[in-house]
Amino acid sequence: MINLLKMEFNRFFTNNMMYILLVIFMAFQVFGIFMIKQYEQPDQEGILLSTMNESQFIQAMLSQTPSWVMMYIMVFSVYFYMSEYNAGFYKNYISMKNARIYSVISKILILGLFTLLMFIVMLVSDLIGRAIFFENAAIGDLQYFFKLLVGQFLLHWAFAIVILCITMLLKNMIASIIIGLVLVLNVFGVAVSLLESLVWDLNLSSYLLINTIVSVMDFNELQTVIHVVIAALAFMMLFSFVAVRYKLNEDLR
């Protein structure tokens, strides 16, 4: 397990694609804030984005479809798995005891690390862009800010695991990216929500992963925190289990 994890970390930190994605994301995030300032309009509640603190700004950005944070996480998740699969390097270690399980666990941890880096880059970009163009780098209540970050980190990490599982099943980069785009655009979530509103009123669709990510919620409420944690952990455990089971039975020929 330790050796596989070391190998994955080495492959992660020597992966030029990872650095390119982070740099491009930072540049476009700052540029996006500049464009918001140029064409700023009040939201539905009449609040300007430039007057929001960082907690409000993050929720406003993540609630927009497509979410660029999810888009970059999706692209990296597909690329990171397929780069190893296409190279056939996994065949060098997959016959070792428990290597199949450990290979999936190590990739899940790597995706968690990339998700963390994405959030760090997002915060730095936001603070730089808001300080320069909005002249407002307020963060807001630190306790609320921390709960928001932890909740959204778990949700986006769960999303990365979903994409990893899909990529493992399809073994095709283009098909995985297309399905990833459909998920990022929340086509499935919107369809289920619409169907639910027509057939029954249980509001179960609000617990779908993407629906939870794009919803603006009040993290001061315990119910909201529980909602986020349940949605994130449920999808993490379900798709991690599916990925491990598939890898155990995968035909490597």
Side-chain angles (χ1 to χ4, degrees):
M1 173 64 180
I2 299 300
N3 290 332
L4 277 177
L5 191 57
K6 287 181 179 179
M7 182 193 70
E8 294 287 9
F9 270 96
N10 180 68
R11 197 161 69 88
F12 177 74
F13 285 109
T14 57
N15 193 320
N16 293 330
M17 182 68 170
M18 182 265 290
Y19 297 104
I20 291 172
L21 285 174
L22 292 177
V23 170
I24 292 176
F25 176 76
M26 174 176 279
F28 274 94
Q29 189 77 353
V30 174
F31 179 73
I33 294 173
F34 167 75
M35 294 302 295
I36 289 173
K37 183 60 179 178
Q38 299 303 307
Y39 303 100
E40 186 175 24
Q41 296 291 334
D43 63 11
Q44 296 179 347
E45 297 179 357
I47 302 175
L48 294 172
L49 287 172
S50 59
T51 63
M52 293 181 175
N53 59 40
E54 184 62 13
S55 297
Q56 295 169 319
F57 188 77
I58 287 174
Q59 294 215 78
M61 292 296 100
L62 293 181
S63 66
Q64 296 182 9
T65 304
S67 164
W68 289 106
V69 176
M70 280 197 291
M71 190 79 76
Y72 281 79
I73 289 175
M74 179 269 294
V75 170
F76 179 80
S77 301
V78 173
Y79 172 81
F80 190 73
Y81 180 80
M82 289 304 300
S83 62
E84 181 189 60
Y85 181 81
N86 289 333
F89 179 74
Y90 64 96
K91 293 181 181 179
N92 295 333
Y93 64 82
I94 209 69
S95 60
M96 298 167 58
K97 184 179 180 180
N98 295 325
R100 295 187 182 220
I101 297 175
Y102 295 154
S103 68
V104 175
I105 294 175
S106 62
K107 286 178 177 59
I108 289 173
L109 294 176
I110 290 297
L111 292 180
L113 177 58
F114 180 75
T115 303
L116 178 61
L117 290 177
M118 280 292 300
F119 270 72
I120 292 173
V121 170
M122 179 186 69
L123 290 177
V124 172
S125 304
D126 284 354
L127 293 176
I128 292 174
R130 291 174 60 238
I132 295 174
F133 302 115
F134 292 171
E135 297 182 356
N136 172 22
I139 293 177
D141 181 72
L142 291 179
Q143 185 177 5
Y144 183 92
F145 182 63
F146 177 76
K147 288 189 290 186
L148 168 65
L149 286 182
V150 172
Q152 287 294 347
F153 167 74
L154 290 175
L155 290 170
H156 283 77
W157 188 6
F159 173 72
I161 295 172
V162 172
I163 297 298
L164 172 65
C165 182
I166 291 172
T167 307
M168 290 174 60
L169 294 174
L170 296 178
K171 298 189 181 69
N172 185 289
M173 182 175 291
I174 295 177
S176 299
I177 287 178
I178 290 174
I179 293 178
L181 284 173
V182 171
L183 291 177
V184 171
L185 292 170
N186 200 25
V187 175
F188 180 73
V190 171
V192 172
S193 298
L194 178 61
L195 179 63
E196 186 181 55
S197 66
L198 295 174
V199 178
W200 62 83
D201 190 24
L202 297 178
N203 201 30
L204 294 177
S205 61
S206 64
Y207 283 89
L208 291 175
L209 184 61
I210 312 301
N211 280 352
T212 304
I213 291 175
V214 300
S215 298
V216 177
M217 295 181 288
D218 184 3
F219 280 81
N220 281 323
E221 296 183 2
L222 180 60
Q223 183 178 355
T224 297
V225 176
I226 294 174
H227 177 149
V228 168
V229 171
I230 289 175
L233 294 183
F235 277 85
M236 290 174 76
M237 290 188 293
L238 174 61
F239 283 88
S240 295
F241 174 78
V242 173
V244 170
R245 292 299 302 174
Y246 176 78
K247 180 60 71 173
L248 286 173
N249 299 306
E250 183 181 19
D251 185 357
L252 299 178
R253 289 181 298 174

